[in-house]
Amino acid sequence: MNPANANQTRHSDLRWLRWSLSAIALLLAVIAVQLSALIGPVIPRAAAQSPPDSGAQLFKLIEAQTRTNQILQQILDHLRSGEIKVAIPTTDKQDRGAPAPAPRGGPAAPRTQRAPAGR
């Protein structure tokens, strides 16, 4: 066996390995750059927001409840007075001038009760 030829064969066998490792390293570098660009600056979310004011929230809740109670009291007083005005709007048939349905010609047929099927 020729030692010069064996060295060239070994070198060509490692060439594909070097190319594939270089390609993998390049792809990993591209992924690392993309991830670092997507993350952006790191700011804690708690620092960006002010803490909630529980006292103000409770005050708003109490105001809303008081207003609801006032409205319900007005409705209750109105219902107790017994004065309710009802306006019936016209229907579409009345607007078009459609004739009213004609009354039936005779008395309605008497209703009969059927016995259950099991008897």
Side-chain angles (χ1 to χ4, degrees), residues 85-111:
K85 296 180 182 178
V86 178
I88 300 174
T90 60
T91 62
D92 291 339
K93 289 182 182 178
Q94 291 172 345
D95 289 341
R96 285 187 266 147
R104 292 190 176 188
R111 296 186 181 255

Side-chain angles (χ1 to χ4, degrees), residues 16-93:
W16 69 270
L17 181 63
R18 287 182 184 154
W19 278 103
S20 57
L21 288 177
S22 298
I24 290 172
L26 179 69
L27 290 174
L28 286 173
V30 168
I31 291 172
V33 168
Q34 286 180 347
L35 285 176
S36 66
L38 289 177
I39 291 175
V42 179
I43 298 175
R45 290 191 184 266
Q49 298 175 350
S50 62
D53 186 5
S54 61
Q57 289 177 351
L58 183 60
F59 184 71
K60 288 180 183 178
L61 187 64
I62 291 172
E63 281 182 340
Q65 186 67 40
T66 304
R67 180 69 183 139
T68 303
N69 287 341
Q70 289 172 352
I71 292 171
L72 287 174
Q73 187 62 42
Q74 289 173 358
I75 292 172
L76 185 61
D77 292 341
H78 187 70
L79 289 175
R80 284 186 179 159
S81 71
E83 296 177 14
I84 298 176
K85 296 180 182 178
V86 178
I88 300 174
T90 60
T91 62
D92 291 339
K93 289 182 182 178

